[in-house]
Amino acid sequence: MYFCLMFRVILFFLITFSFVYNLSFSQNDSLPFNSYHERVVLSTSFSYKGAPFNLQGSFDSINQLNYQANLNLIHGIGVAYKWFSLNINYKLPNYTRSTEKYGKTKYFDVGLRFNLKKLYFSLNFTDYNGYGIKGADKLSDSLPVSPVGYYLNNNLKSWGLGLNVYYLINPNLNMKAAIGAVSRYTGSAHGFYLRFTTSVHGISSERSLIPYEYLSSPHSSHKASSISAIDFGAVPGYAYLNNINGWQFGAFAGLGGVIQAKSYQSEETSRSFLGLAPRFDLRIQGGYNVSNWFLMFNATFDHSSIEFSHLQYNQLYFAFQLTYGYRFKEKEDKEVQNNFKLTRL
């Protein structure tokens, strides 16, 4: 109760302060970004995404198990014009690391993003299949591991469906301009924002998530074959963006929390709980961005956690993207207009 009350007070003061700030200083200012929705924008990108997680508890000689996926680079092609936008992304054939040592990860990732006035919507679904426990040979000498000490589980799945809505309180803040493809910044901007978040997420496996057979006295939660949660909450944050002589850079950073309905399930038992969990938000952008072309690097980080009395699950979703794009100039219709006038005469 105390946490919820304190959180509401913080949100109230942030909204009140930002409203007064915008009313006093931003009402007559021109917007520090340009939109190029009237121009055809073509882009190509390379991305790398991941969703590593760890399980913390008392596992005999160690207190944390780190789960890593083996993923591919992603190549993307995009086109945008006015209200239309299309991005095609596909995985490059080779894994980033040896499949013999680090296993194989099959994954599916789809998202929808759009602006509506001061709101920026981001809907994402992720499904990663295949993880390895890094340094699993420390659990037991008899545990079957790869040549680099990974305990591979191709059936271990990480999944999540989440909706994030960014309320950009200051009108000078614009997410599309921060990303830097169909819009770009021409000056500096900063201010508070709120990220409202709701998600369903978890991990599961056909066998147990932890090789508990090699533990001396495993807790019932150590035998879990799935951990999941439904949560919703808000993350207040602050953003700063700028473009100096074509060099654009900026960041969004926030800290908040969610209300969470969580559970774990094993062959022996199933437990459900209600609690609170912290959340942070971090987006970083930077690159060279002028009117006709851009080269932008975008990085996003999102953290999820579920805590039980003898086991804690922490997962970090991250995405790195390097994008080059060209904005074609608007067509000049002077000749067409002149020909039309001559025809009428």
Side-chain angles (χ1 to χ4, degrees), residues 29 297 319:
D29 293 343
F297 173 76

Side-chain angles (χ1 to χ4, degrees), residues 79-339:
V79 58
Y81 180 61
K82 293 187 177 180
W83 57 267
F84 175 79
S85 178
L86 176 66
N87 286 279
I88 300 174
N89 299 286
Y90 57 91
K91 295 182 291 184
L92 297 179
N94 294 327
Y95 285 90
T96 55
R97 297 182 296 180
S98 166
T99 56
E100 179 185 358
K101 297 178 181 179
Y102 302 99
K104 295 181 179 180
T105 302
K106 298 178 181 180
Y107 60 100
F108 179 76
D109 190 344
V110 63
L112 176 65
R113 297 166 181 83
F114 60 92
N115 269 88
L116 185 61
K117 295 184 178 181
K118 290 186 177 183
L119 301 177
Y120 176 76
F121 292 82
S122 176
L123 177 65
N124 295 281
F125 174 75
T126 58
D127 186 13
Y128 293 79
N129 288 272
Y131 278 83
I133 303 178
K134 182 180 179 180
D137 50 350
K138 297 178 181 179
L139 281 176
S140 173
D141 295 334
S142 57
L143 187 67
V145 297
S146 72
V148 290
Y150 274 61
Y151 177 72
L152 304 178
N153 184 352
N154 293 328
N155 296 315
L156 201 158
K157 176 187 293 189
S158 166
W159 53 272
L161 175 63
L163 173 64
N164 293 294
V165 181
Y166 287 81
Y167 175 56
L168 306 176
I169 301 172
N170 190 325
N172 289 337
L173 299 180
N174 183 277
M175 191 65 75
K176 285 188 175 181
I179 295 172
V182 296
S183 302
R184 75 178 182 101
Y185 269 90
T186 56
S188 65
H190 57 91
F192 290 103
Y193 70 92
L194 286 173
R195 171 191 156 198
F196 301 98
T197 178
T198 181
S199 64
V200 183
H201 59 98
I203 51 176
S204 60
S205 177
E206 293 181 1
R207 58 179 188 263
S208 60
L209 301 169
I210 301 171
Y212 67 89
E213 301 91 346
Y214 297 88
L215 301 179
S216 58
S217 56
H219 186 265
S220 61
S221 61
H222 297 164
K223 301 178 182 180
S225 59
S226 68
I227 296 174
S228 61
I230 302 174
D231 51 43
F232 63 93
V235 180
Y238 196 82
Y240 177 82
L241 301 124
N242 205 346
N243 189 314
I244 301 176
N245 298 325
W247 293 99
Q248 180 168 313
F249 54 91
F252 292 74
L255 181 64
V258 294
I259 299 173
Q260 187 177 81
K262 53 190 176 181
S263 65
Y264 72 83
Q265 186 173 1
S266 66
E267 294 182 357
E268 299 177 357
T269 184
S270 178
R271 299 287 180 85
S272 299
F273 308 89
L274 185 66
L276 302 171
R279 288 290 183 270
F280 74 81
D281 182 48
L282 181 60
R283 305 174 67 96
I284 301 173
Q285 302 90 19
Y288 192 73
N289 204 325
V290 291
S291 60
N292 291 335
W293 66 277
F294 59 90
L295 179 64
M296 289 292 296
F297 173 76
N298 281 272
T300 61
F301 303 88
D302 193 11
H303 174 260
S304 296
S305 63
I306 306 174
E307 185 174 358
F308 305 101
S309 57
H310 292 83
L311 186 67
Q312 183 174 346
Y313 151 72
N314 298 282
Q315 186 161 26
L316 178 67
Y317 291 92
F318 67 84
F320 304 130
Q321 184 177 61
L322 182 65
T323 306
Y324 168 79
Y326 187 83
R327 305 183 184 102
F328 290 87
K329 293 183 178 180
E330 296 179 49
K331 294 182 179 180
E332 296 183 1
D333 296 327
K334 292 182 178 179
E335 294 182 2
V336 176
Q337 292 176 1
N338 291 334
N339 291 334

